[in-house]
Amino acid sequence: MSTTALYQTFSRLPLTFERGEGSWLLTDKGERYLDFAAGIAVNSLGHAHPHLVAALTEQAGKLWHVSNLYEIPEQSRLADRLAANTFADRVFFTNSGAEALECAIKTARRHFFAKGQPNRYRIVTIQGAFHGRTLATIAAGGQEKYLEGFGPKVEGFDQVPYGDLDALKAVIGADTAAILLEPVQGEGGVRAFPPKILKEIRALCDAHDLLLIFDEVQTGVGRTGKLFAHEWSGIAPDIMAVAKGIGGGFPMGACLATAAASDAMVPGTHGTTFGGNPLAMAVGNAVLDIVLEEGFLDEVNRKALLLKQGLAEIADSFPGVVSEARGVGLLMGLKCVLPNNVVKDAIAGEKLLCVPAGDNVVRLLPPLTATDEDIREAIARIRTACEKLQTEAQNEAKGARAKGAV
Ligand SMILES: *Cc1c(COP(=O)(O)O)cnc(C)c1O
């Protein structure tokens, strides 16, 4: 039995980390773990990045919090930089991904309300989606395991199967306001929408005067080798939720939107106490300094290829353990043959951290700053874990055959 007063909502590995250095985490016992979980795609620049440490400590000595009753120059500066580098004209800062989604959902609904079409509040979402754990975002995600026991599901979300464009077309009705999706489903099992499909969905939105909302909480800020994953498809959303990597480990998120989509978000319609506070903004600007540096994303793409090749070879070598390597950039997944938790634990046994995902996938989310050596080391450790699992599985099969022969 646990002796802590904490809610027992998480099943944690019995590991305590005391410090981090780049792609590495050190436990209280002095063991070194290679961190390809990166706080679930959050530590985009690794641990204790000197530029982020400097930005945070400098700001900590000046001012922590004032609230959005006053001007926050670093907030305006980060919004301007995000707008300058994306489709967006406006930015609302939040503290988390779910809050960024809440803002996105409210923005879409309010847009049609202000146009005199208050009936248009429904949003189409995709099976396997994950949008957060608030009441609205569990309704948007539509996963029964997250909805169960929490009362009536928030109204207004219509879900269609992943990859089924006909179902998507069929579900659009007179009350539909928007389509919401992750360009690459992260929790759902590292499933990427092909650029062609995203283009068709964009066209569908234009034809029906719908807003397109992308959840780039996990895929954003360089994770896939572009600043935002949708850039691979050449189309843009009207509204986008961002979080995780944007703060490099400092809790923050943002909702980005075009002027047209967000025009109805006037004073009084939305708010936050902590969102966009000076500490978060100092770090967010520091993250952008690095990610927007000339050549940074080229390096992400080069390293992503290295990782992808290594994982593909592993899938070829151990067909009894993993069947496929998939993903975009440094958001990679191994589709498992054995249960993904068994594979994840075996990999953790080699002191490499990764994250399970839906569809029996193990996710690899290294810091964008991982070195070639880190990636080679990770591949070697996954290979060792798979070797052990494959040998175990073969021995079990042999044992079973021997028994059968008796
Ligand atoms: C993590 C995640 C969220 C929720 O973010 P929180 O910060 O945990 O609220 C939403 N959407 C996607 C795609 C995510 O990966």
Side-chain angles (χ1 to χ4, degrees), residues 22-281:
S23 306
W24 294 84
L25 281 169
L26 280 81
T27 69
D28 50 354
K29 299 184 181 69
E31 294 172 312
R32 287 168 63 81
Y33 277 76
L34 185 50
D35 185 11
F36 274 36
I40 319 185
V42 166
N43 302 101
S44 44
L45 303 182
H47 299 281
H49 191 291
H51 186 59
L52 302 199
V53 173
L56 182 63
T57 48
E58 195 197 319
Q59 186 60 44
K62 288 198 295 195
L63 187 64
W64 290 18
H65 179 82
V66 293
S67 88
N68 288 301
L69 295 171
Y70 313 103
E71 296 290 342
I72 301 174
E74 282 287 281
Q75 192 185 111
S76 308
R77 188 165 91 87
L78 184 52
D80 291 348
R81 294 174 80 191
L82 287 169
N85 286 283
T86 63
F87 71 93
D89 306 304
R90 308 251 170 81
V91 183
F92 184 95
F93 288 106
T94 68
N95 310 289
S96 69
E99 279 179 67
L101 264 304
E102 290 274 348
C103 181
I105 294 163
K106 286 178 73 175
T107 300
R109 288 184 172 188
R110 190 81 188 184
H111 171 79
F112 288 103
F113 172 84
K115 274 174 62 163
Q117 301 174 289
N119 60 305
R120 293 183 68 182
Y121 65 88
R122 305 198 70 84
I123 296 177
V124 181
T125 64
I126 311 292
Q127 273 174 20
F130 182 79
H131 298 301
R133 297 296 201 107
T134 61
L135 288 169
T137 55
I138 56 176
Q143 298 204 35
E144 209 38 60
K145 63 179 175 182
Y146 297 142
L147 284 160
E148 188 187 25
F150 297 115
K153 183 177 153 190
V154 171
E155 243 288 279
F157 297 96
D158 300 307
Q159 198 154 54
V160 297
Y162 170 88
D164 189 342
L165 215 53
D166 290 333
L168 186 61
K169 283 177 192 158
V171 82
I172 295 169
D175 297 341
T176 307
I179 297 173
L180 162 63
L181 61 88
E182 301 151 86
V184 186
Q185 286 190 344
E187 309 296 315
V190 191
R191 297 197 295 187
F193 276 92
K196 183 173 158 284
I197 301 283
L198 289 183
K199 282 200 181 94
E200 287 183 36
I201 293 175
R202 176 72 264 181
L204 205 56
C205 286
D206 294 342
H208 291 85
D209 181 32
L210 304 179
L211 295 172
L212 180 57
I213 309 174
F214 283 160
D215 178 347
E216 292 233 24
V217 168
Q218 189 157 154
T219 52
V221 197
R223 176 55 54 190
T224 69
K226 294 273 189 194
L227 188 56
F228 291 99
H230 68 263
E231 293 170 33
W232 289 112
S233 69
I235 57 106
D238 303 289
I239 304 172
M240 175 169 74
V242 181
K244 293 203 164 98
I246 195 176
F250 199 93
M252 65 173 291
C255 176
L256 282 64
T258 62
S262 61
D263 264 351
M265 298 303 280
V266 296
T269 52
H270 197 45
T272 169
T273 300
F274 289 127
N277 100 352
L279 288 175
M281 296 300 101

